[in-house]
Structure formats: structure tokens, C-alpha cells
């Protein structure tokens, strides 16, 4: 399935499915809640705030997924070279990575549910990891594959927002 990749990628680039990274982050956040109980907090709006982030994440993830399906292009981000078209409509007018942004919203909801400050430290770490090992390698391959069309899209729409 995987073709030879013409660009140099770091060792971890495009190796771990983003959904698995998401699950690893969920587990790590939950574990650290028990390791650092002194950083637990109480906020009476927590269920409401977590619910809003969860719903936003659901909208972003499903919207991105359905636009890829509608365009009949790959949804497996480990093989961006299998992409058949650059999707620029719908949610992709506002974010180049709405599914990853949806994962981030779910992690934010989870951080609120856990009610531990350490959970919030994991949010920028998720963004860093996804940028470094998933998004930037994807962008390199897609830019090589689609040229100016992709370059114009990069300049027009933000990576996350």
C-alpha cells in the first residue's frame, strides 16, 4: 500500500495513526491525574465546558471525515501520497486539519473532565507532536504531489485555524 516516499521524513513521521496518538494522550492525561492529585481542582461549570468542547470536536472531526469521503480521497493520514485531491470546501475553508483540531477539542474536554491542571499541559504537547510527526510530513508530500495548487491552499488556510 505504501509507495516509496520522495521526501526525507523523520523516523516517527507518519508511523503512528493519529487516532492511536489521541488514545495514548487520553490515557496519559488520566494517569497523571492520579500521580499529581494536588493539582486537581473543582469548577462547577466543568460538565458544561467539557460538553461544549466535546460537541465542537465531534463537529470538526465528522465534518472533515465526510468531506474527505465525499471527495473520494484517502482518510488514512499515514499515506498522504495516496491523496487523490486537495479538499478545500466546507470545513476545509477554515482549517487544513479539522480532524486533528477535533481531536484537540476532545482532549480539551477530557482535560476539563479530569479536573487536573496537568491535563492541560498535554494540549500543547499534542499540537507539537501532531505538527512535527504528522502534519508537516503530510504537507511536504502533498506539496510535492500537488505543487502550486497545494501551495496556494497553504497560504490561504491555516494549519489548525
Amino acid at each position: 500500500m505504501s509507495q516509496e516516499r520522495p521526501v526525507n521524513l523523520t523516523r516517527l513521521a507518519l508511523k503512528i495513526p493519529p487516532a492511536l496518538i489521541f488514545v495514548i494522550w487520553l490515557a496519559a492525561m488520566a494517569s497523571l491525574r492520579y500521580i499529581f492529585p494536588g493539582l486537581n481542582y473543582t469548577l462547577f461549570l466543568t460538565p458544561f465546558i467539557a460538553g461544549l468542547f466535546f460537541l465542537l470536536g465531534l463537529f470538526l472531526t465528522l465534518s472533515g471525515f465526510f468531506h474527505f469521503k465525499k471527495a473520494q480521497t484517502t482518510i488514512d493520514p499515514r499515506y498522504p501520497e495516496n491523496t487523490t485531491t486537495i479538499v478545500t470546501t466546507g470545513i476545509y475553508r477554515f482549517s487544513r486539519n479539522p480532524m486533528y483540531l477535533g481531536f484537540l477539542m476532545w482532549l480539551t474536554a477530557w482535560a476539563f473532565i479530569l479536573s487536573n491542571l496537568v491535563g492541560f499541559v498535554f494540549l500543547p504537547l499534542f499540537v507539537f507532536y501532531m505538527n512535527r510527526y504528522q502534519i508537516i510530513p503530510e504537507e511536504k508530500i502533498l506539496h510535492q504531489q500537488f505543487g502550486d495548487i497545494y501551495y496556494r491552499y497553504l497560504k490561504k488556510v491555516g494549519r489548525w485555524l
Side-chain angles (χ1 to χ4, degrees):
M1 177 183 246
S2 177
Q3 302 166 350
E4 181 128 357
R5 293 185 174 159
V7 295
N8 286 332
L9 300 177
T10 63
R11 191 174 166 129
L12 283 176
L14 305 173
K15 298 286 190 249
I16 305 171
L20 179 57
I21 296 300
F22 169 73
V23 171
I24 290 168
W25 247 252
L26 289 173
M29 291 167 70
S31 298
L32 287 175
R33 180 184 195 278
Y34 297 103
I35 294 171
F36 297 102
L39 296 176
N40 290 349
Y41 66 88
T42 303
L43 182 65
F44 77 96
L45 291 174
T46 293
F48 176 74
I49 295 169
L52 286 177
F53 276 107
F54 176 80
L55 290 174
L56 182 57
L58 186 65
F59 168 76
L60 290 165
T61 304
L62 290 178
S63 182
F65 176 82
F66 286 121
H67 276 86
F68 269 24
K69 281 297 196 186
K70 183 178 177 184
Q72 298 179 339
T73 193
T74 184
I75 60 164
D76 188 343
R78 293 173 301 154
Y79 305 104
E81 62 272 11
N82 294 339
T83 301
T84 58
T85 187
I86 301 299
V87 180
T88 61
T89 58
I91 195 70
Y92 288 94
R93 291 178 295 150
F94 308 105
S95 173
R96 294 195 314 259
N97 298 286
M99 290 183 265
Y100 301 154
L101 184 57
F103 286 173
L104 180 62
M105 295 301 102
W106 283 338
L107 290 171
T108 303
W110 185 235
F112 275 103
I113 289 167
L114 293 173
S115 299
N116 184 283
L117 296 175
V118 173
F120 291 97
V121 172
F122 274 74
L123 303 178
L125 294 175
F126 178 78
V127 171
F128 171 80
Y129 182 91
M130 293 304 291
N131 280 338
R132 176 79 168 91
Y133 297 108
Q134 191 63 46
I135 296 172
I136 291 171
E138 284 177 17
E139 289 174 347
K140 287 179 180 178
I141 291 170
L142 293 173
H143 185 257
Q144 188 172 55
Q145 186 172 343
F146 292 98
D148 285 342
I149 293 168
Y150 190 68
Y151 181 75
R152 284 193 301 272
Y153 180 59
L154 287 178
K155 294 298 177 192
K156 185 177 176 185
V157 179
R159 183 175 282 161
W160 290 86
L161 282 178

